Amino acid sequence: MGALLKLVLDVIVTALGLWAVTALVPGIGILPPETTVYTDGQYDHALMFLAVAVVFLLVNAVIGPILRTLGAPVTCVTLGLFALVINAVVLWLTAWVSGQLGLGLFVDGFVPALIGAAVLAVVRGALGLLTGGFRRH
């Protein structure tokens, strides 16, 4: 049960982080697909962000370790700053995958991805501190 709670919290924290990124970083956003428009013309932002958060966590779990391993020498030389570039690539790949799945996340270039990765890291770190007590059990 503890692993399931940790996974759910990770998805929620990541979704909130992605919401903050789309609100704060120009060039990153979520476009609603036409299939999720309801009769009143609105679409459910929360479900879109949760779905993109799941994609982000999967991309980060599969591709992230490969990129971090290959980039380890450069990360050491740059005293860890290259890790931000790796996180930007993961965010960019997440946007590509979510676009292929029709989830609508877009990133308009590498600079927005780099800024978005920094914002996402800060928000996920801050929210991770708040949910840390739930994750220990």
Side-chain angles (χ1 to χ4, degrees):
M1 185 69 175
L4 181 60
L5 178 63
K6 184 182 180 312
L7 178 64
V8 169
L9 284 173
D10 281 344
V11 170
I12 292 170
V13 164
T14 304
L16 290 171
L18 287 168
W19 173 80
V21 167
T22 60
L24 296 173
V25 180
I28 299 179
I30 289 191
L31 298 174
E34 291 75 23
T35 58
T36 61
V37 175
Y38 297 115
T39 56
D40 62 353
Q42 297 297 316
Y43 58 95
D44 195 349
H45 281 291
L47 292 179
M48 297 293 287
F49 282 108
L50 288 171
V52 174
V54 169
V55 171
F56 176 81
L57 290 172
L58 287 172
V59 169
N60 198 27
V62 174
I63 304 296
I66 296 168
L67 293 175
R68 286 178 189 84
T69 301
L70 293 174
V74 180
T75 303
C76 289
V77 169
T78 61
L79 302 175
L81 288 177
F82 191 69
L84 187 60
V85 173
I86 292 171
N87 291 342
V89 171
V90 169
L91 183 60
W92 211 355
L93 284 172
T94 300
W96 181 79
V97 171
S98 74
Q100 298 299 312
L101 297 175
L103 297 175
L105 178 69
F106 66 89
V107 177
D108 281 340
F110 186 72
V111 172
L114 192 64
I115 297 168
V119 170
L120 185 60
V122 168
V123 172
R124 285 183 72 199
L127 291 175
L129 288 174
L130 293 175
T131 61
F134 296 110
R135 294 170 188 243
R136 283 187 226 126
H137 299 290

